[in-house]
Amino acid sequence: MEKRRYLFTSESVGEGHPDKVCDQISDGVLDCVLRQDPYGRVACETYVTMGLLIVGGEITTTGFVDVNNLTRNILKDIGYDHPKYGFDYHTCAVINTIHTQSPDIAQGVNKGGAGDQGFMVGYACRETPELMPLPIMLAHKLVKKTADVRRAKVLKYLGPDCKSQVSVEYSDGHPRRVDSVVLACQHTDEILDSSGMCITKKARQEMIDIIAKPMLKEYMDKDTKFYINETGKFVVGGPQSDTGMTGRKIVVDTYGGVAPPGGGAFSGKDPTKVDRSAAYMGRYIAKNIVAAGISDKCLIHIAYVIGRAEPLAVMVDTSGTAKISESAIGKLIRDNFDLTPQGMIQSLDLLRPIYRKTACYGHFGRTEPEFSWELTDKAQTLKKQAARF
């Protein structure tokens, strides 16, 4: 039988992308609250456009957040520190419209219930050492490498905004090679050719050789195609060229389209919001099941209603790769994981100021110590228990 071949594509965006600017500020506000008040309630949204940034939402806390200074410091750290990038932390306007959380919501959350209704998704697979889909991992590595090269001034003309996209060729369900790479990097006008409409061939090749090839070499071949700043130039970027809002990159934040993203965004929400905590727990469960060798792929789907602690439904889908029945996997989940909001918060130690790090380069597939939901510390226990089925 002929092997099925197809291309799957995922994208990522860098720390200077307007939507990611907003995610980082919303999570920066959350971290500031948690440093002072671990039980503070935060639902923070940010909006950015040319010369203007608005921070709003609902916060209830015993602490204090200097939104103006916090916002400007994050913008400076991202790299919006000069007018040449079209947005400057020195001069942009910052408006604070934060108010307190609704008491109607609080009365349900205070007794340990979920902070909202919705469904959350966790996923893991064997395509990478991180047990993540390969296309999204490569897309994240490209924008992270772009930021590292910019910060190290290896390519001094790079600006903070960037995007990536990677198309991976699969054969019989397994990733084989990178078919194409898209990279859009904001830059200053010093690398424009004599027409002023395009970057030079030299600059284009530098981006391929210094950013793309080191990240992709294992999967590249002579037929891999590169599309670098395909409009010709990318001088006008960031909030000068595009508005940004918190929570608009939920596919980038999760599994790159391989698995459903779930019902809500993450950034700016404290962990009593199951949009965040249950998505992290879903990933933790799925990763431990795959790490235990129980299945090669695992999708976890969890549903909640506001004010109640226990989930309404838990679904497992292993795409036919499980070594035991999916109903048996469901029993393993119930026996080994507490899916109440308080149980998830305690299990994953989520009342820490760790969230700004999550706002760029994906919430999953990370190796930093803050990402407790990436641990596989339950894998051996699950493996032993699965042997009885």
Side-chain angles (χ1 to χ4, degrees):
M1 181 181 294
E2 183 180 355
K3 292 183 178 180
R4 180 185 174 223
R5 294 180 180 272
Y6 60 92
L7 298 179
F8 193 92
T9 304
S10 294
E11 70 161 344
S12 185
V13 298
E15 60 187 298
H17 186 280
D19 293 332
K20 281 295 151 197
V21 168
C22 294
D23 285 345
Q24 289 173 87
I25 289 170
S26 294
D27 274 336
V29 170
L30 172 59
D31 284 348
C32 186
V33 169
L34 292 177
R35 286 188 189 97
Q36 305 168 71
D37 176 12
Y39 300 99
R41 301 279 165 71
V42 179
C44 181
E45 308 283 346
T46 305
Y47 168 85
V48 68
T49 187
M50 184 185 295
L52 173 66
L53 193 145
I54 301 173
V55 183
E58 304 82 45
I59 295 180
T60 301
T61 180
T62 58
F64 170 74
V65 181
D66 185 342
V67 171
N68 181 69
N69 282 334
L70 181 145
T71 295
R72 294 185 192 279
N73 286 334
I74 290 175
L75 291 171
K76 178 183 178 183
D77 183 59
I78 291 169
Y80 285 113
D81 56 4
H82 193 281
K84 66 183 177 182
Y85 300 127
F87 198 78
D88 186 355
Y89 82 94
H90 296 96
T91 57
C92 69
V94 176
I95 298 175
N96 179 1
T97 63
I98 292 171
H99 56 89
T100 57
Q101 184 186 50
S102 163
D104 297 348
I105 297 174
Q107 70 180 9
V109 178
N110 290 343
K111 63 183 183 181
D116 202 351
Q117 70 175 49
F119 72 94
M120 294 80 214
V121 171
Y123 182 76
C125 64
R126 292 198 176 279
E127 291 183 15
T128 66
E130 300 88 355
L131 302 185
M132 285 284 287
L134 180 63
I136 188 64
M137 292 304 296
L138 294 179
H140 286 324
K141 287 179 179 181
L142 283 174
V143 290
K144 178 63 166 62
K145 180 67 172 180
T146 303
D148 292 343
V149 167
R150 172 176 60 87
R151 289 178 179 275
K153 301 188 184 303
V154 175
L155 300 179
K156 296 181 180 180
Y157 49 77
L158 292 177
D161 197 357
C162 69
K163 300 179 74 172
S164 70
Q165 184 172 287
V166 179
S167 295
V168 174
E169 181 180 314
Y170 284 74
S171 175
D172 205 26
H174 299 286
R176 302 302 185 189
R177 57 181 290 274
V178 169
D179 183 72
S180 66
V181 179
V182 177
L183 193 59
C185 299
Q186 185 186 14
H187 58 85
T188 56
D189 57 13
E190 67 192 84
I191 60 167
L192 296 178
D193 63 17
S194 58
S195 73
M197 300 300 292
C198 295
I199 62 173
T200 63
K201 291 181 179 179
K202 177 178 180 291
R204 180 183 183 276
Q205 195 61 47
E206 285 177 338
M207 294 181 198
I208 293 172
D209 291 342
I210 295 173
I211 297 172
K213 286 186 175 179
M215 297 296 99
L216 306 173
K217 57 186 177 182
E218 181 181 351
Y219 297 98
M220 286 171 44
D221 59 26
K222 62 182 178 59
D223 296 320
T224 299
K225 300 174 284 294
F226 294 92
Y227 301 94
I228 310 297
N229 285 18
E230 279 294 295
T231 66
K233 62 178 182 177
F234 189 6
V235 175
V236 179
Q240 183 184 16
S241 67
D242 193 10
T243 58
M245 294 179 68
T246 300
R248 288 207 299 199
K249 288 292 180 284
I250 59 175
V251 175
V252 170
D253 287 342
T254 52
Y255 305 101
V258 172
F266 305 149
S267 289
K269 297 177 181 178
D270 75 78
T272 66
K273 280 75 171 173
V274 287
D275 278 344
R276 186 164 219 158
S277 53
Y280 290 176
M281 179 57 83
R283 165 64 177 169
Y284 180 55
I285 294 169
K287 188 172 183 181
N288 275 273
I289 288 170
V290 172
I294 295 171
S295 66
D296 294 331
K297 297 180 181 179
C298 185
L299 175 73
I300 306 293
H301 189 288
I302 313 171
Y304 290 86
V305 62
I306 191 168
R308 290 189 176 271
E310 294 290 341
L312 300 180
V314 179
M315 185 271 286
V316 179
D317 181 1
T318 64
S319 300
T321 67
K323 311 301 188 293
I324 61 176
S325 70
E326 289 174 352
S327 61
I329 295 174
K331 186 174 191 318
L332 289 178
I333 292 171
R334 290 190 295 275
D335 290 345
N336 290 278
F337 300 93
D338 186 341
L339 298 180
T340 67
Q342 292 304 313
M344 295 185 294
I345 288 169
Q346 183 175 1
S347 297
L348 301 178
D349 195 13
L350 296 180
L351 296 179
R352 298 170 291 152
I354 58 173
Y355 294 103
R356 187 187 158 196
K357 270 193 176 182
T358 69
C360 290
Y361 315 121
H363 292 246
F364 309 122
R366 304 287 290 271
T367 58
E368 299 93 321
E370 292 88 350
F371 291 72
S372 54
W373 48 95
E374 292 296 316
L375 296 174
T376 54
D377 53 335
K378 296 263 192 180
Q380 287 304 312
T381 297
L382 292 171
K383 185 175 183 178
K384 290 178 182 177
Q385 293 183 11
R388 72 176 189 263
F389 293 103

